[in-house]
Amino acid sequence: MVTVTTRKNSGGTTTQTKRSGTASSGAASERREHLVKLAAELFARKGFQATTVRQIAQEAGILSGSLYHHFDSKEAIVDEVLSTFLDDLTARYRAAVDGGSDPRTVLTEMVRIGFATLEPHRAAITVMQNDWNYLRQFERFNYLVKAEEEVEQIWVSQIRAGQAAGQLRDDVDPKLTYRMIRDTIWVAVRWFRPDGRLDTGELAEHFVTVLFDGLATGHRTSHRA
């Protein structure tokens, strides 16, 4: 939208043009993003099913009806929360694989990527842990399962490639190993604190050390049954 205003002065008439459409669009986008963040925190704290549209509106300081100017339902809000997280995660995993490094280097980078999501996507990760089984019932959330399958395939293929290259021991199950790594990273969202002793980068490096070097010293004492 273009708004035109005129102002007369001693030299004649000066015309001023103000493009208000861009400004209002930007404000609406910021407002929408703010609402998503507020709702995400409520979903993480109270659970998706227990959170109502009215509670989201109250948290934002607006009427429930005003919320519907931005979203048609709370499902639409959590959809944005989760899809944003998964799009970011899968894109970064793909980039790590496409980098062309050896499997162990790729796995190390993927561990770092996983831990790096704990702060910016804390609410989304919490919602996925708490409400996964409920949300996956609905067709609009079919992408959750597809994203999970893609992420698992990326990890498992890299673990297998590492085994084939002799970088990783071949007596462990790739899928089980991936799930143990996944759960270790995602469960950390429940106890990790940004103001704690370690930041997410340091946390990732500690995990990489344990993952690849183990805890035991000396010769290997554990063997797959």
Side-chain angles (χ1 to χ4, degrees), residues 142-163:
N142 285 346
Y143 68 87
L144 294 177
V145 176
K146 294 179 181 177
E148 180 188 48
E149 291 173 347
E150 179 183 356
V151 168
E152 180 173 295
Q153 189 276 328
I154 292 173
W155 275 92
V156 170
S157 65
Q158 288 302 307
I159 293 171
R160 286 174 175 159
Q163 291 174 321

PDB file of all heavy atoms in Angstrom, residues 142-163:
ATOM      1  N   ASN A 142       1.577 -35.748   9.197  1.00  0.00           N
ATOM      2  CA  ASN A 142       2.256 -36.902   8.601  1.00  0.00           C
ATOM      3  C   ASN A 142       3.738 -36.632   8.357  1.00  0.00           C
ATOM      4  O   ASN A 142       4.555 -37.559   8.343  1.00  0.00           O
ATOM      5  CB  ASN A 142       1.593 -37.291   7.282  1.00  0.00           C
ATOM      6  CG  ASN A 142       0.262 -38.016   7.478  1.00  0.00           C
ATOM      7  OD1 ASN A 142      -0.057 -38.450   8.585  1.00  0.00           O
ATOM      8  ND2 ASN A 142      -0.510 -38.128   6.418  1.00  0.00           N
ATOM      9  N   TYR A 143       4.075 -35.371   8.154  1.00  0.00           N
ATOM     10  CA  TYR A 143       5.469 -35.033   7.885  1.00  0.00           C
ATOM     11  C   TYR A 143       6.379 -35.323   9.078  1.00  0.00           C
ATOM     12  O   TYR A 143       7.592 -35.459   8.920  1.00  0.00           O
ATOM     13  CB  TYR A 143       5.605 -33.560   7.481  1.00  0.00           C
ATOM     14  CG  TYR A 143       5.305 -32.574   8.586  1.00  0.00           C
ATOM     15  CD1 TYR A 143       6.294 -32.164   9.481  1.00  0.00           C
ATOM     16  CD2 TYR A 143       4.031 -32.030   8.738  1.00  0.00           C
ATOM     17  CE1 TYR A 143       6.019 -31.259  10.489  1.00  0.00           C
ATOM     18  CE2 TYR A 143       3.752 -31.125   9.729  1.00  0.00           C
ATOM     19  CZ  TYR A 143       4.747 -30.739  10.610  1.00  0.00           C
ATOM     20  OH  TYR A 143       4.476 -29.850  11.607  1.00  0.00           O
ATOM     21  N   LEU A 144       5.805 -35.440  10.281  1.00  0.00           N
ATOM     22  CA  LEU A 144       6.626 -35.761  11.445  1.00  0.00           C
ATOM     23  C   LEU A 144       7.273 -37.130  11.280  1.00  0.00           C
ATOM     24  O   LEU A 144       8.469 -37.306  11.540  1.00  0.00           O
ATOM     25  CB  LEU A 144       5.771 -35.736  12.714  1.00  0.00           C
ATOM     26  CG  LEU A 144       5.186 -34.390  13.155  1.00  0.00           C
ATOM     27  CD1 LEU A 144       4.321 -34.582  14.390  1.00  0.00           C
ATOM     28  CD2 LEU A 144       6.284 -33.377  13.406  1.00  0.00           C
ATOM     29  N   VAL A 145       6.478 -38.097  10.852  1.00  0.00           N
ATOM     30  CA  VAL A 145       6.992 -39.453  10.659  1.00  0.00           C
ATOM     31  C   VAL A 145       7.995 -39.473   9.511  1.00  0.00           C
ATOM     32  O   VAL A 145       9.052 -40.109   9.598  1.00  0.00           O
ATOM     33  CB  VAL A 145       5.844 -40.440  10.388  1.00  0.00           C
ATOM     34  CG1 VAL A 145       6.393 -41.831  10.085  1.00  0.00           C
ATOM     35  CG2 VAL A 145       4.892 -40.490  11.578  1.00  0.00           C
ATOM     36  N   LYS A 146       7.680 -38.759   8.429  1.00  0.00           N
ATOM     37  CA  LYS A 146       8.585 -38.725   7.274  1.00  0.00           C
ATOM     38  C   LYS A 146       9.917 -38.093   7.643  1.00  0.00           C
ATOM     39  O   LYS A 146      10.984 -38.563   7.236  1.00  0.00           O
ATOM     40  CB  LYS A 146       7.929 -37.966   6.127  1.00  0.00           C
ATOM     41  CG  LYS A 146       6.705 -38.661   5.545  1.00  0.00           C
ATOM     42  CD  LYS A 146       6.082 -37.844   4.425  1.00  0.00           C
ATOM     43  CE  LYS A 146       4.846 -38.537   3.856  1.00  0.00           C
ATOM     44  NZ  LYS A 146       4.183 -37.722   2.802  1.00  0.00           N
ATOM     45  N   ALA A 147       9.867 -37.034   8.432  1.00  0.00           N
ATOM     46  CA  ALA A 147      11.100 -36.376   8.859  1.00  0.00           C
ATOM     47  C   ALA A 147      11.912 -37.279   9.775  1.00  0.00           C
ATOM     48  O   ALA A 147      13.147 -37.361   9.665  1.00  0.00           O
ATOM     49  CB  ALA A 147      10.777 -35.065   9.571  1.00  0.00           C
ATOM     50  N   GLU A 148      11.211 -37.973  10.675  1.00  0.00           N
ATOM     51  CA  GLU A 148      11.902 -38.903  11.571  1.00  0.00           C
ATOM     52  C   GLU A 148      12.597 -40.000  10.774  1.00  0.00           C
ATOM     53  O   GLU A 148      13.753 -40.370  11.069  1.00  0.00           O
ATOM     54  CB  GLU A 148      10.910 -39.530  12.552  1.00  0.00           C
ATOM     55  CG  GLU A 148      11.575 -40.519  13.519  1.00  0.00           C
ATOM     56  CD  GLU A 148      10.567 -41.270  14.363  1.00  0.00           C
ATOM     57  OE1 GLU A 148       9.590 -41.789  13.771  1.00  0.00           O
ATOM     58  OE2 GLU A 148      10.751 -41.354  15.585  1.00  0.00           O
ATOM     59  N   GLU A 149      11.922 -40.519   9.776  1.00  0.00           N
ATOM     60  CA  GLU A 149      12.501 -41.582   8.950  1.00  0.00           C
ATOM     61  C   GLU A 149      13.707 -41.074   8.166  1.00  0.00           C
ATOM     62  O   GLU A 149      14.712 -41.784   8.024  1.00  0.00           O
ATOM     63  CB  GLU A 149      11.438 -42.125   7.989  1.00  0.00           C
ATOM     64  CG  GLU A 149      10.334 -42.900   8.693  1.00  0.00           C
ATOM     65  CD  GLU A 149       9.208 -43.296   7.752  1.00  0.00           C
ATOM     66  OE1 GLU A 149       9.173 -42.747   6.618  1.00  0.00           O
ATOM     67  OE2 GLU A 149       8.378 -44.126   8.130  1.00  0.00           O
ATOM     68  N   GLU A 150      13.627 -39.847   7.658  1.00  0.00           N
ATOM     69  CA  GLU A 150      14.762 -39.299   6.914  1.00  0.00           C
ATOM     70  C   GLU A 150      15.970 -39.096   7.824  1.00  0.00           C
ATOM     71  O   GLU A 150      17.101 -39.439   7.454  1.00  0.00           O
ATOM     72  CB  GLU A 150      14.388 -37.964   6.254  1.00  0.00           C
ATOM     73  CG  GLU A 150      15.567 -37.362   5.491  1.00  0.00           C
ATOM     74  CD  GLU A 150      15.273 -36.018   4.878  1.00  0.00           C
ATOM     75  OE1 GLU A 150      14.120 -35.540   4.958  1.00  0.00           O
ATOM     76  OE2 GLU A 150      16.197 -35.415   4.295  1.00  0.00           O
ATOM     77  N   VAL A 151      15.734 -38.548   8.996  1.00  0.00           N
ATOM     78  CA  VAL A 151      16.830 -38.319   9.935  1.00  0.00           C
ATOM     79  C   VAL A 151      17.482 -39.639  10.333  1.00  0.00           C
ATOM     80  O   VAL A 151      18.716 -39.764  10.376  1.00  0.00           O
ATOM     81  CB  VAL A 151      16.323 -37.569  11.187  1.00  0.00           C
ATOM     82  CG1 VAL A 151      17.388 -37.580  12.287  1.00  0.00           C
ATOM     83  CG2 VAL A 151      15.958 -36.135  10.827  1.00  0.00           C
ATOM     84  N   GLU A 152      16.654 -40.649  10.616  1.00  0.00           N
ATOM     85  CA  GLU A 152      17.197 -41.960  10.974  1.00  0.00           C
ATOM     86  C   GLU A 152      18.021 -42.536   9.838  1.00  0.00           C
ATOM     87  O   GLU A 152      19.116 -43.075  10.056  1.00  0.00           O
ATOM     88  CB  GLU A 152      16.066 -42.917  11.330  1.00  0.00           C
ATOM     89  CG  GLU A 152      16.568 -44.318  11.706  1.00  0.00           C
ATOM     90  CD  GLU A 152      15.463 -45.206  12.227  1.00  0.00           C
ATOM     91  OE1 GLU A 152      14.905 -44.910  13.301  1.00  0.00           O
ATOM     92  OE2 GLU A 152      15.171 -46.218  11.544  1.00  0.00           O
ATOM     93  N   GLN A 153      17.534 -42.396   8.610  1.00  0.00           N
ATOM     94  CA  GLN A 153      18.259 -42.921   7.449  1.00  0.00           C
ATOM     95  C   GLN A 153      19.626 -42.243   7.289  1.00  0.00           C
ATOM     96  O   GLN A 153      20.633 -42.892   6.979  1.00  0.00           O
ATOM     97  CB  GLN A 153      17.413 -42.719   6.183  1.00  0.00           C
ATOM     98  CG  GLN A 153      17.959 -43.416   4.931  1.00  0.00           C
ATOM     99  CD  GLN A 153      19.015 -42.579   4.215  1.00  0.00           C
ATOM    100  OE1 GLN A 153      18.941 -41.343   4.237  1.00  0.00           O
ATOM    101  NE2 GLN A 153      19.980 -43.236   3.591  1.00  0.00           N
ATOM    102  N   ILE A 154      19.658 -40.931   7.526  1.00  0.00           N
ATOM    103  CA  ILE A 154      20.924 -40.195   7.418  1.00  0.00           C
ATOM    104  C   ILE A 154      21.929 -40.712   8.440  1.00  0.00           C
ATOM    105  O   ILE A 154      23.086 -40.989   8.112  1.00  0.00           O
ATOM    106  CB  ILE A 154      20.683 -38.683   7.607  1.00  0.00           C
ATOM    107  CG1 ILE A 154      19.888 -38.112   6.425  1.00  0.00           C
ATOM    108  CG2 ILE A 154      22.016 -37.939   7.739  1.00  0.00           C
ATOM    109  CD1 ILE A 154      19.463 -36.660   6.618  1.00  0.00           C
ATOM    110  N   TRP A 155      21.488 -40.826   9.680  1.00  0.00           N
ATOM    111  CA  TRP A 155      22.392 -41.290  10.736  1.00  0.00           C
ATOM    112  C   TRP A 155      22.849 -42.733  10.505  1.00  0.00           C
ATOM    113  O   TRP A 155      24.047 -43.031  10.589  1.00  0.00           O
ATOM    114  CB  TRP A 155      21.688 -41.195  12.093  1.00  0.00           C
ATOM    115  CG  TRP A 155      21.771 -39.858  12.744  1.00  0.00           C
ATOM    116  CD1 TRP A 155      20.882 -38.835  12.638  1.00  0.00           C
ATOM    117  CD2 TRP A 155      22.804 -39.392  13.619  1.00  0.00           C
ATOM    118  NE1 TRP A 155      21.292 -37.766  13.381  1.00  0.00           N
ATOM    119  CE2 TRP A 155      22.458 -38.071  13.998  1.00  0.00           C
ATOM    120  CE3 TRP A 155      23.965 -39.955  14.122  1.00  0.00           C
ATOM    121  CZ2 TRP A 155      23.248 -37.313  14.866  1.00  0.00           C
ATOM    122  CZ3 TRP A 155      24.759 -39.204  14.989  1.00  0.00           C
ATOM    123  CH2 TRP A 155      24.401 -37.896  15.341  1.00  0.00           C
ATOM    124  N   VAL A 156      21.901 -43.597  10.228  1.00  0.00           N
ATOM    125  CA  VAL A 156      22.234 -45.019  10.065  1.00  0.00           C
ATOM    126  C   VAL A 156      23.187 -45.229   8.889  1.00  0.00           C
ATOM    127  O   VAL A 156      24.132 -46.019   8.968  1.00  0.00           O
ATOM    128  CB  VAL A 156      20.950 -45.860   9.895  1.00  0.00           C
ATOM    129  CG1 VAL A 156      21.288 -47.292   9.488  1.00  0.00           C
ATOM    130  CG2 VAL A 156      20.146 -45.859  11.190  1.00  0.00           C
ATOM    131  N   SER A 157      22.956 -44.524   7.794  1.00  0.00           N
ATOM    132  CA  SER A 157      23.825 -44.684   6.626  1.00  0.00           C
ATOM    133  C   SER A 157      25.242 -44.234   6.927  1.00  0.00           C
ATOM    134  O   SER A 157      26.219 -44.842   6.458  1.00  0.00           O
ATOM    135  CB  SER A 157      23.261 -43.900   5.434  1.00  0.00           C
ATOM    136  OG  SER A 157      23.277 -42.510   5.677  1.00  0.00           O
ATOM    137  N   GLN A 158      25.389 -43.186   7.731  1.00  0.00           N
ATOM    138  CA  GLN A 158      26.733 -42.715   8.086  1.00  0.00           C
ATOM    139  C   GLN A 158      27.427 -43.682   9.041  1.00  0.00           C
ATOM    140  O   GLN A 158      28.643 -43.901   8.957  1.00  0.00           O
ATOM    141  CB  GLN A 158      26.660 -41.320   8.706  1.00  0.00           C
ATOM    142  CG  GLN A 158      26.328 -40.225   7.717  1.00  0.00           C
ATOM    143  CD  GLN A 158      27.326 -40.154   6.570  1.00  0.00           C
ATOM    144  OE1 GLN A 158      28.535 -40.061   6.785  1.00  0.00           O
ATOM    145  NE2 GLN A 158      26.824 -40.219   5.344  1.00  0.00           N
ATOM    146  N   ILE A 159      26.661 -44.261   9.955  1.00  0.00           N
ATOM    147  CA  ILE A 159      27.248 -45.249  10.871  1.00  0.00           C
ATOM    148  C   ILE A 159      27.706 -46.481  10.085  1.00  0.00           C
ATOM    149  O   ILE A 159      28.819 -46.992  10.301  1.00  0.00           O
ATOM    150  CB  ILE A 159      26.223 -45.644  11.957  1.00  0.00           C
ATOM    151  CG1 ILE A 159      25.951 -44.441  12.875  1.00  0.00           C
ATOM    152  CG2 ILE A 159      26.751 -46.826  12.786  1.00  0.00           C
ATOM    153  CD1 ILE A 159      24.808 -44.657  13.849  1.00  0.00           C
ATOM    154  N   ARG A 160      26.884 -46.930   9.162  1.00  0.00           N
ATOM    155  CA  ARG A 160      27.264 -48.076   8.335  1.00  0.00           C
ATOM    156  C   ARG A 160      28.474 -47.764   7.465  1.00  0.00           C
ATOM    157  O   ARG A 160      29.353 -48.609   7.275  1.00  0.00           O
ATOM    158  CB  ARG A 160      26.078 -48.505   7.474  1.00  0.00           C
ATOM    159  CG  ARG A 160      24.992 -49.228   8.258  1.00  0.00           C
ATOM    160  CD  ARG A 160      23.774 -49.513   7.411  1.00  0.00           C
ATOM    161  NE  ARG A 160      22.792 -50.319   8.156  1.00  0.00           N
ATOM    162  CZ  ARG A 160      21.501 -50.401   7.850  1.00  0.00           C
ATOM    163  NH1 ARG A 160      21.039 -49.719   6.798  1.00  0.00           N
ATOM    164  NH2 ARG A 160      20.695 -51.147   8.577  1.00  0.00           N
ATOM    165  N   ALA A 161      28.508 -46.548   6.926  1.00  0.00           N
ATOM    166  CA  ALA A 161      29.657 -46.149   6.112  1.00  0.00           C
ATOM    167  C   ALA A 161      30.923 -46.128   6.957  1.00  0.00           C
ATOM    168  O   ALA A 161      32.007 -46.516   6.492  1.00  0.00           O
ATOM    169  CB  ALA A 161      29.408 -44.771   5.491  1.00  0.00           C
ATOM    170  N   GLY A 162      30.792 -45.684   8.200  1.00  0.00           N
ATOM    171  CA  GLY A 162      31.945 -45.680   9.103  1.00  0.00           C
ATOM    172  C   GLY A 162      32.420 -47.085   9.418  1.00  0.00           C
ATOM    173  O   GLY A 162      33.636 -47.339   9.523  1.00  0.00           O
ATOM    174  N   GLN A 163      31.486 -48.003   9.568  1.00  0.00           N
ATOM    175  CA  GLN A 163      31.851 -49.405   9.795  1.00  0.00           C
ATOM    176  C   GLN A 163      32.563 -49.981   8.569  1.00  0.00           C
ATOM    177  O   GLN A 163      33.579 -50.672   8.692  1.00  0.00           O
ATOM    178  CB  GLN A 163      30.606 -50.225  10.129  1.00  0.00           C
ATOM    179  CG  GLN A 163      30.001 -49.893  11.484  1.00  0.00           C
ATOM    180  CD  GLN A 163      28.687 -50.624  11.732  1.00  0.00           C
ATOM    181  OE1 GLN A 163      27.864 -50.782  10.816  1.00  0.00           O
ATOM    182  NE2 GLN A 163      28.461 -51.071  12.963  1.00  0.00           N
TER     183      GLN A 163
END
